Amino acid sequence: FFRPLWRYPMSYYALPNGAASSEALIAERPSNHLALASIVLCGTALATMFVPMGSTMFFAQPTQTSTLSTGRAPSMLRSAKVPVTPSIGHDSPQHARQYFPDLARVSRITPTRDFLSTETTYSQPNAYVSLACFFVGAVSAAIMLFKRSVEERRISNFDGIQVDAWAMASASATDQEEVFLVDGKQVIDDDGNVIKTKSAYKKFVKLQKIKEKKAGNQAAQQQQKAANKQAPKKKKEVSIYTKTVLLPETSFDLRANAPKREPEIQALWKEKGTYRKLIEKADATGAERFTLHDGPPYANGSLHMGHALNKVLKDIINKYKMQRGKKVEFIPGWDTHGLPIELKVLQSLSQEKKRSLKPMELRKMAREFALETVEAQKASFERYGVWGSFDEPYVTLAPEYEAAQVKVFGQMVAGGHIYRGRKPVYWSPSSQTALAEAELEYPEGHTSPSIYVGMKATKLTPCLEEFADQGVSLAIWTTTPWTIPANRAISVNPALSYSVVKRGTGDLVVVATDLVAELESKFGDKLEVLKSFTGEDLSGTMYQHPLVARENPVVIGGDYITTEAGTGLVHTAPGHGMDDYITGMKNDLDVFAPVDDKGCFTSEAGEFEGLEVLGEGNVAVRKRLEEGGVLILYEPYVHKYPYDWRTKKPCLMRATSQWFCSVDGFRDQALDAISSVQWIPAVGENRIRGMVEGRSDWCISRQRTWGVPIPVFYDEKTGDEVLDQEVINHVAGIFAEKGSNAWWEMSVEELMPAKYADDGKTYVKGMDTMDVWFDSGSSWASVMQQRGLPVPVDLYLEGSDQSRGWFQSSLLTSVAATGKPPYKTVLTHGFVLDEKGYKMSKSLGNVVDPAVIINGGPNLKQEPAYGADTLRLWASSVNYNADVLIGNAVLGQASNNYRKIRGTLRFLIGNLFDFDEKTHAVPTEKLPALDRYMLARSEEVFKTMTDAYEAYNFSKVFSELQTFCVKEMSTFYLDIAKDRLYISAADDERRRSCQTVLHYVAHNMVRVMAPIVSHMAEDAWQAMRKDTDVESVFEMGWVSAADVTPAEDPALWAQILEVCDVVNMALEQARTANLIGSSLEAKITLHVTDAALKAKLESMAATDNGVDDLKYLFITSQAVISDTPVSGEYTSSSETATVLVERADGEKCERCWNYCTSVGSIAEHPTICDRCGGVLARSA
């Protein structure tokens, strides 16, 4: 009430721009005195009536000189103190300042007789005075409002726009605006509006001058451009010695032009049959086989970054093994059955079409969709540069695959591991099928309606008999109220202590003793412990079912009953929970589950029939319990809950008749098999071991159409199943010839062996299909064994989530059927997240598409086409054992690293254009010390990279390659080498020795990088290969050893490199001070304190090979070693050396740019040094 009156005591009315009336701006200011009087009097009245005795109020005073945006506050208000009452929260100066940010100060006022005084004492308020003040204030406010309404009616004739007082600039009733004229005429601005004030006119003139100046500048620039075009171009002066310099020559471009060049290289591989040629070569030489078995992705959509990371890592391994001479045949695969594909097909159909859809129509459509997706994904994988038998992949819908899968099923049947039973399984109402553990996800934030219920004990055991007259209830807790109709018992832990407690209402309930304090807090009750006993003592108690006329027992449960949550007594519904089911089997409880396929109550649930259990069913059950007086407490409970990973909707546990694989029969064998496998990283073993140790039987049946049918028949009368080896083998033979469609297309008589035709019984086909994890989990047999490849295979490589998926299903089927694991080594990688560490989601807009990385997006500036090799380089650079990040910044860094590696490689190749290893190579014993060191260092780097490849540590390979190219080659060795590569005569030994090193490095560098950046390596090889060389870089084999004799001392060279760093720091100081520009303008004096290092440097300086001289090492024109310490303006020091920088002696050589005192000594060439003169003489 007060704030608007204080802030806005008046309103202004403005006519639209361009109004013809001289009254273009009219302002109405009601009496400020009346406004202030009404505020003060009303405020005083309220303060004296409602402020408690002794309380404090804070009053605000506006800044005397403050100007709010466009105008000053009215003069009367600028000196007024305005009350800020505690009733609106301003009980402190800080709150007042926050509410009025433009206050000069906040005064502490005690409400008393003198309202505007400070720090006066409190006196008892007089009610009559308060009422009188309030009455006068109200009358003043009414007068003010009446006057305002009159003025508003008058102003309404102008059709004005009302604005707040302080949003106007210097507007008042006394300063009406006038029409502004220049030379008797109105001035119109560029927008066609009339300029009405002098200030606006000045602003307009200023803007016009700026525009004219800008237009003049643009005209001058255009004239200059036109003049430049007409003027003849001045030719750049070129030295006469330019053509005498041996600059690099190569067709290997610095720019990759990946979108164009990479497909050309892939076409070359296909044309030459490189992949198949390597397999045939390895086969001809009897090479050892290496098999990486491909886990099949679902053929249900486009590829994402997880696919890209996975396939690139596999390809790196396969290519490395191929280069090492192994026989590698990579068979890519696709999972083409199951609900993911079925849902994709159904999503494209109308509701009417779905209702009329027949099984074979759906299967045909699903098959077509799956095969189309396979082709699309296949093309994407090949674009990544992935090699494999893409012309002969495996797909789980292939007849030969389905037949082999059925045979694996038969082997498990023969081993006694397959059975049919009615037990609780995860059921997806949204998909209307059973689900395996691997098909579930547990999103954060699920909230369940948890309830505490007191079930009345009817038949008491001795521990409760003394409470018979009072009556006692058994308190249970559940997060699934919808399962209460299926309650068949209450389970207790025999080892726990339980107590009868008395609530504040007088009711007696039984709870776990350790939970009494926690339940007191939850119930809001004081719980008095009357008696305690063990769970064993409670066993045998009977209680009344809270919803139906039925008595149920208290039974002994298992270790799953704890005091971590709930009451310690567990509501038991054997039809809706695995622990409940096991307890029910031990105590002969019936498996009751009154829920249908859609997740709705059946007629067995009585009054709840038809209600969706996870929705209305939960609510209805809770309401009935409340009406029955047995609901103790309801509260929302946030926890992890299983969701269908495909539909993203919650699941439930429901007892149905399903086919199961009994894991208990071979669990120990499976755990032993896990121990025999190498897990990378080692934590993978712990992950899968824990899952196998604690897992229940595997539900392998699904109530779907698109899949491999379980080959079982049932006696039409008795319902007994027919499942023997003869039937299974017969069906497998039919599937091998006609595919699993035969199950729907052929009659029972055709599908069953002949002996069942005349046995007098009628059979029907089972219509359940196999879990898709059984499909892919059988690939060790359906692919590896069927194609003659040894099992166990060398390597499985997938995401870490496959410990509950493909790794586990493959392990279980293999151990159950053959007694051994299907793999020797399992390598896992993490998930791909965005660069902020968030999961990629279309809704978040943070999805990174591998196709866009390679080919670019619609806006190439924002989403450039990096090519496949940048993607591959990124995959090699990350620690894939954990989750990895990708985004624009990450890709930009990967692209930058790619360019640096390519630039180094281009320099190597470009300087080998006239080098023939057989003719020009310098023996290692004749190489200068610098070249011997670099040769030895290169071999060391290549060995480290080889070891990293063997350990699947690709980030180590990347870091070694990156550091070697950028730091050791480009920044150090190649920078030094430019002088002798460019300036020397073609056949000078100093040049040929350098080329010998470059040749070794280049030929081995393309080999070690080929598994990762395959296109770049091949592109480089095609630019450097001779006609007699192999056609592909992958045919070169692996790294060749360098014969470095004698080897240089690595420790000593490490010290030399440190000296180089000290020299560079000193040179940078001199460059910053403008003493020098290029390092060739410098002369350095070096003082070394380490004796061994000094001796090495002196021996290098004493050589005349034109390489080891220190001036070449430091890339300066002169370098000398001083026996005495050096000092000067430009120095830099380390523990072993001090460097002084000075200007070089002599003149600059026009050819080599070194400074030398011999410049001018050759009459024919007065601008070059004697070294260059000798080169020209030898080259003549």
Side-chain angles (χ1 to χ4, degrees), residues 33 73 87 173 280 313 437-438 505 601 604 658 740 843 881 885 890 906 986 1007 1024:
H33 297 279
S87 63
E280 293 170 355
L313 291 176
E437 286 276 359
T505 59
F601 281 119
E604 294 175 300
Q658 302 287 345
S740 60
S843 60
N881 293 144
L885 309 182
V890 176
R906 184 174 187 271
R1007 297 176 187 180
M1024 65 193 289

Side-chain angles (χ1 to χ4, degrees), residues 575-598:
H576 295 298
M578 204 59 225
D579 289 330
D580 295 12
Y581 173 80
I582 294 172
T583 298
M585 293 300 96
K586 292 178 180 177
N587 294 277
D588 198 27
L589 302 177
D590 66 312
V591 182
F592 181 58
V595 179
D596 64 16
D597 291 356
K598 296 180 180 179

Side-chain angles (χ1 to χ4, degrees), residues 376-566:
Q377 292 188 2
K378 185 192 299 183
S380 296
F381 285 140
E382 290 186 291
R383 182 61 186 89
Y384 300 167
V386 176
W387 282 5
S389 300
F390 285 101
D391 52 342
E392 297 177 305
Y394 78 86
V395 288
T396 58
L397 59 73
E400 63 274 12
Y401 189 103
E402 295 174 329
Q405 177 180 329
V406 169
K407 289 180 180 179
V408 171
F409 176 79
Q411 289 176 284
M412 296 172 70
V413 170
H417 303 307
I418 302 295
Y419 71 93
R420 186 170 184 260
R422 177 177 167 80
K423 60 193 301 186
V425 295
Y426 287 107
W427 185 269
S428 170
S430 55
S431 298
Q432 296 187 36
T433 186
L435 299 178
E437 286 276 359
E439 297 172 296
L440 302 174
E441 59 185 20
Y442 294 82
E444 299 288 344
H446 177 86
T447 302
S448 292
S450 76
I451 57 173
Y452 292 81
V453 180
M455 299 194 180
K456 307 291 185 181
T458 54
K459 178 183 175 183
L460 307 182
T461 50
C463 67
L464 297 177
E465 286 179 348
E466 61 188 273
F467 306 106
D469 294 339
Q470 297 168 271
V472 64
S473 297
L474 308 172
I476 63 95
W477 172 73
T478 181
T479 59
T480 54
W482 62 269
T483 61
I484 294 293
N487 175 269
R488 288 298 180 262
I490 292 177
S491 300
V492 294
N493 188 327
L496 288 181
S497 172
Y498 294 85
S499 296
V500 176
V501 298
K502 185 176 182 179
R503 299 184 62 192
T505 59
D507 296 335
L508 304 183
V509 294
V510 178
V511 298
T513 306
D514 292 345
L515 289 169
V516 171
E518 182 180 338
L519 293 173
E520 273 187 337
S521 174
K522 283 189 176 293
F523 295 168
D525 254 350
K526 176 64 178 176
L527 302 183
E528 179 186 354
V529 177
L530 303 180
K531 182 180 181 180
S532 297
F533 36 81
T534 66
E536 188 74 44
D537 298 329
L538 270 179
S539 179
T541 300
M542 301 296 289
Y543 64 92
Q544 174 64 45
H545 193 290
L547 297 176
V548 296
R550 174 190 176 91
E551 285 191 340
N552 290 334
V554 175
V555 300
I556 299 298
D559 294 338
Y560 64 91
I561 303 172
T562 68
T563 57
E564 292 180 3

Side-chain angles (χ1 to χ4, degrees), residues 1060-1121:
C1060 289
D1061 291 337
V1062 177
V1063 171
N1064 288 332
M1065 285 189 286
L1067 290 171
E1068 188 58 33
Q1069 289 180 22
R1071 188 177 292 111
T1072 303
N1074 293 323
L1075 176 69
I1076 62 171
S1078 165
S1079 63
L1080 291 176
E1081 296 177 20
K1083 170 186 177 181
I1084 67 165
T1085 304
L1086 178 66
H1087 175 68
V1088 181
T1089 56
D1090 184 276
L1093 176 59
K1094 182 181 179 184
K1096 178 65 176 177
L1097 292 174
E1098 287 178 336
S1099 68
M1100 293 175 64
T1103 62
D1104 60 354
N1105 56 21
V1107 177
D1108 293 332
D1109 192 330
L1110 298 186
K1111 67 178 182 181
Y1112 299 122
L1113 183 66
F1114 301 138
I1115 318 178
T1116 59
S1117 288
Q1118 291 110 36
V1120 295
I1121 299 176

Side-chain angles (χ1 to χ4, degrees), residues 291-294 296 329-334 392-396 398 400-402 404-405 408 775-776 778-791 793 796 806:
T291 304
L292 191 164
H293 183 32
D294 188 31
E329 189 170 3
F330 181 65
I331 305 170
W334 279 268
E392 297 177 305
Y394 78 86
V395 288
T396 58
E400 63 274 12
Y401 189 103
E402 295 174 329
Q405 177 180 329
V408 171
D775 286 25
S776 59
S778 305
S779 61
W780 55 267
S782 302
V783 180
M784 298 293 103
Q785 285 186 346
Q786 188 157 310
R787 300 201 185 191
L789 301 174
V791 178
V793 301
Y796 273 36
W806 190 54

Side-chain angles (χ1 to χ4, degrees), residues 235-360:
K235 292 185 179 180
K236 185 178 179 181
E237 293 185 6
V238 179
S239 172
I240 60 172
Y241 300 107
T242 299
K243 294 184 179 180
T244 68
V245 177
L246 299 173
L247 295 175
E249 297 178 15
T250 179
S251 60
F252 183 66
D253 292 332
L254 184 60
R255 290 175 61 99
N257 194 14
K260 178 177 182 294
R261 185 60 180 146
E262 286 180 349
E264 292 174 351
I265 292 170
Q266 291 171 4
L268 175 68
W269 288 334
K270 282 192 175 183
E271 178 188 346
K272 302 296 183 182
T274 307
Y275 167 72
R276 189 57 57 185
K277 189 187 295 185
L278 291 171
I279 294 175
E280 293 170 355
K281 179 181 177 181
D283 200 25
T285 58
E288 181 183 358
R289 181 185 288 275
F290 174 84
T291 304
L292 191 164
H293 183 32
D294 188 31
Y298 279 117
N300 67 329
S302 301
L303 299 179
H304 53 67
M305 283 306 306
H307 293 118
L309 175 65
N310 178 263
K311 279 298 192 293
V312 168
L313 291 176
K314 290 174 180 176
D315 192 59
I316 291 172
I317 294 172
N318 284 332
K319 284 176 177 170
Y320 167 71
K321 296 294 184 180
M322 277 186 159
Q323 288 179 259
R324 296 307 303 267
K326 300 287 183 69
K327 181 179 180 180
V328 179
E329 189 170 3
F330 181 65
I331 305 170
W334 279 268
D335 201 337
T336 51
H337 282 138
L339 192 58
I341 295 166
E342 189 172 330
L343 288 177
K344 282 285 187 178
V345 171
L346 293 174
Q347 287 170 5
S348 64
L349 303 178
S350 65
Q351 291 296 327
E352 183 180 353
K353 180 63 176 176
K354 289 178 186 177
R355 285 191 292 270
S356 62
L357 194 64
K358 296 180 180 179
M360 278 307 300

